[in-house]
Amino acid sequence: MKFNFYKTSVLAIYIALSSCGNGEKANEASGTFEATETIVSAEANGKILKLKINEGDQLEQGQKIGFIDSTQLHLTKMQLKQSGKAILSGRPDSKIQIESLQKELENAVKDKKRIENLVEGEVASQKQLDDANSRIAIIQSKIDALRSQLGTTTNNLNAQSGTVGIQMEQVEDQLKKCNITNPVSGTVLTKYANEYEMATIGKPIYKIADLSTLKLRAYITASQFAKIKIGDAVKVNVDTENGGSKAYSGTVEWINSKAEFTPKTIQTKDERANLVYAVKIRVKNDGALKIGMYGDVVF
């Protein structure tokens, strides 16, 4: 009986060791899940008149969620609009101002033709013809000078109007920034401001992250560094509430090329003194993964 009991015990130990040897590989690295977080800040100064978000809300990219008071900007826009009209109203009407000189020039040309005929008939002198030509030249010079002056005045006023136009565009841009528009699709993690609070440029309003895919940041040793590459498929194990674990498929998307000391979150001093390489593994989230959860990686 003793011999049979001894054989049975040895057989049980052998089976247990064999099952451990033939099982899955042990976890080779551990880390925590993180997401790409975006802090959305105010782009204008003023009171927040509307902010329709709560922590946990799902937002789409480009979704308008609120706006900041823009009354003063609207008044500035109206003032610039009136200034632009006033400037353009001062442009001279070149056609009307030159028209009188143009008629005078036409009369001078007619007089010259009559004098030419009289000179041919020896009724008028050459001096009269020369005076007629001089008169035409003087009138033409006056027209050219007036046209140049009017053109310069018009160009200056157009330039001033263009400056006002640029100022209008700046105000329009500021008005657009009064609208609080969500920049990326994701889940609102933290809300920093509420309606009717004052906002200043750069003040955080809320933090958002896309939780559909999380990244596991883990640290590997030099020996592990040599055998993995970007794009490798790995398995990520996460503890479940009943004491078991759940496996997820992951993809290595980043490997730090520089070694660093083990992060201080590692408990023992000896382990913290080791040099390791940081890696990021992209894991599709089924809703169970949370930022800050631990995960174990099998390469």
Side-chain angles (χ1 to χ4, degrees):
M1 292 292 293
K2 290 182 178 180
F3 177 74
N4 291 337
F5 175 77
Y6 174 77
K7 287 179 63 179
T8 303
S9 299
V10 171
L11 181 61
I13 294 173
Y14 175 78
I15 292 174
L17 293 174
S18 298
S19 62
C20 291
N22 295 331
E24 296 179 347
K25 294 189 294 182
N27 297 321
E28 297 183 350
S30 297
T32 56
F33 285 99
E34 59 185 35
T36 301
E37 300 176 353
T38 301
I39 295 179
V40 181
S41 301
E43 297 183 88
N45 297 322
K47 183 183 292 185
I48 300 174
L49 298 181
K50 182 180 179 181
L51 185 61
K52 297 299 183 182
I53 59 167
N54 292 297
E55 294 178 357
D57 286 353
Q58 297 288 330
L59 302 180
E60 297 296 329
Q61 182 179 14
Q63 181 177 343
K64 292 183 179 180
I65 58 173
F67 59 86
I68 297 170
D69 183 22
S70 59
T71 303
Q72 294 301 317
L73 289 173
H74 278 291
L75 293 175
T76 301
K77 179 182 176 181
M78 293 173 62
Q79 182 181 8
L80 289 172
K81 191 173 182 180
Q82 293 300 320
S83 297
K85 290 181 178 179
I87 290 172
L88 293 178
S89 66
R91 289 185 302 182
D93 191 335
S94 302
K95 183 178 179 182
I96 293 176
Q97 295 195 36
I98 294 175
E99 188 175 3
S100 60
L101 286 175
Q102 195 69 43
K103 289 181 178 179
E104 188 176 347
L105 178 62
E106 292 174 0
N107 292 331
V109 171
K110 292 178 180 178
D111 290 342
K112 174 192 172 184
K113 290 181 179 180
R114 284 196 297 268
I115 293 173
E116 284 178 343
N117 294 330
L118 294 174
V119 170
E120 289 178 1
E122 297 181 355
V123 176
S125 64
Q126 183 64 37
K127 182 179 181 305
Q128 289 175 307
L129 181 59
D130 293 340
D131 291 342
N133 287 327
S134 297
R135 184 187 173 200
I136 292 173
I138 291 171
I139 296 173
Q140 185 63 56
S141 297
K142 289 181 179 179
I143 291 175
D144 293 340
L146 181 58
R147 183 177 283 117
S148 176
Q149 179 183 354
L150 295 174
T152 301
T153 302
T154 300
N155 290 336
N156 288 336
L157 293 175
N158 287 337
Q160 294 178 33
S161 176
T163 302
V164 173
I166 294 173
Q167 293 174 344
M168 286 274 289
E169 291 179 1
Q170 291 175 338
V171 172
E172 288 285 358
D173 181 63
Q174 292 173 347
L175 284 170
K176 289 180 181 178
K177 290 179 179 178
C178 286
N179 293 315
I180 304 174
T181 304
N182 182 55
V184 294
S185 299
T187 304
V188 177
L189 302 180
T190 309
K191 183 179 178 182
Y192 300 113
N194 296 301
E195 290 182 353
Y196 307 115
E197 291 183 353
M198 291 299 296
T200 56
I201 296 176
K203 178 182 178 180
I205 299 177
Y206 64 97
K207 180 166 63 177
I208 189 171
D210 182 5
L211 302 183
S212 62
T213 300
L214 295 184
K215 298 174 184 178
L216 180 71
R217 177 186 282 269
Y219 295 88
I220 59 176
T221 62
S223 60
Q224 294 170 326
F225 177 80
K227 68 177 184 178
I228 67 170
K229 62 182 184 295
I230 294 176
D232 281 354
V234 298
K235 186 172 73 171
V236 177
N237 294 318
V238 178
D239 293 337
T240 58
E241 60 181 0
N242 57 6
S245 65
K246 183 176 182 179
Y248 291 84
S249 297
T251 305
V252 178
E253 72 167 17
W254 175 79
I255 304 173
N256 194 348
S257 59
K258 295 182 180 180
E260 57 185 291
F261 286 106
T262 307
K264 291 184 179 180
T265 52
I266 303 300
Q267 296 299 320
T268 65
K269 183 176 180 180
D270 292 339
E271 288 179 341
R272 289 202 302 268
N274 294 332
L275 286 174
V276 293
Y277 295 87
V279 297
K280 288 183 181 180
I281 298 165
R282 185 175 65 254
V283 181
K284 188 173 181 60
N285 189 4
D286 60 356
L289 301 178
K290 306 292 188 299
I291 296 175
M293 286 181 61
Y294 283 93
D296 300 316
V297 188
V298 178
F299 296 108

